[in-house]
Amino acid sequence: MDIQELLCFGVAPGGGNAALVVQRDRSGVEQRQVFAREQNRPACVFVDVVDDGGIVLDYFYPHTRSPLCLHATLAAARVLLSPQRPELVVHTAMRGQPLTLILQDGEVFVQLTRQAAPDVVITPELPGLLLAAPGIQLASPPVIASVGSPKLLLEVANTTILQALTPDLPLINEWSTQHGVSGCYAWSRRDDGALEGRNLNHLDPAAEDGATGVAAGALTVHLQTGITLYQGANVGTPCLLRTERRGESILIGGKTEFA
């Protein structure tokens, strides 16, 4: 087993969301989950080479296996790509989703496409219940969007409200499990034209994610434009995610460095 730790989407050198890239591992799903829990990093990605030579990425958070984790995918891209191999198509382990990894001008990107999102009725009172903010007035209608891990997107009026949220995490977990959604992503528009967001899908508030690439992708799908997205300052991991549209595809990238 070869293990490398990388930091992804950091605003400053030495910062960002950590991910472990594990190669040459032959353990099963249960053993990988134990490993991820013991390492206690935001994400681990296992790089498997299948019989036809293709590469499959298998994602684990400390608490669960995931169909897709984009910051871990960026970490894997940094390990797997080189000037001699600047582009590589891989597939995800749980759903077989194709992802194109791209090395461009020294930076790595993940190219992917919009995925089907669950058709869920969102009642008027649901956002207030999930955010533990009864009567909250959202800045736009809630929507579920996906690039491989569906998110309930909730736009609040401003970043002050966003950072003050104390959501009902057990209820979010229960609702998400029931409807096949990967938690809520609360977000707001900033005065500088960028966006700011918080990923609300862990039962432990201390485990709130510093950067959520699948949410950046979901927002890009929803808004139909490339975005600049800040996240993680409130948990001590300030991150910056950038996306762009390329035809029907979405590119997601950010700084990635070896820890």
Side-chain angles (χ1 to χ4, degrees), residues 76-147:
R78 176 61 74 186
V79 170
L80 295 171
L81 297 179
S82 67
Q84 293 73 39
R85 184 167 67 171
E87 189 167 311
L88 177 66
V89 176
V90 302
H91 290 80
T92 63
M94 290 182 69
R95 297 180 180 169
Q97 180 182 354
L99 308 171
T100 301
L101 313 183
I102 299 170
L103 176 64
Q104 181 177 293
D105 300 325
E107 296 292 333
V108 289
F109 300 86
V110 180
Q111 180 174 312
L112 69 175
T113 58
R114 178 177 188 160
Q115 301 292 302
D119 185 10
V120 179
V121 175
I122 303 170
T123 60
E125 67 274 10
L126 181 66
L129 292 172
L130 297 179
L131 298 177
I136 189 170
Q137 297 295 312
L138 297 182
S140 63
V143 65
I144 299 173
S146 178
V147 291

Side-chain angles (χ1 to χ4, degrees), residues 50-98:
V50 294
D51 292 342
D52 65 0
I55 293 178
V56 173
L57 302 184
D58 198 3
Y59 307 97
F60 290 81
Y61 301 132
H63 67 295
T64 191
R65 192 183 188 198
S66 175
L68 179 64
C69 175
L70 279 176
H71 95 267
T73 304
L74 274 189
R78 176 61 74 186
V79 170
L80 295 171
L81 297 179
S82 67
Q84 293 73 39
R85 184 167 67 171
E87 189 167 311
L88 177 66
V89 176
V90 302
H91 290 80
T92 63
M94 290 182 69
R95 297 180 180 169
Q97 180 182 354

Side-chain angles (χ1 to χ4, degrees), residues 21-22 27 63 65 71 78 81 123 150-151 201 215 219 238 242:
V21 179
V22 184
S27 61
H63 67 295
R65 192 183 188 198
H71 95 267
R78 176 61 74 186
L81 297 179
T123 60
K151 291 288 181 185
N201 73 337
L219 278 170
R242 290 191 174 91

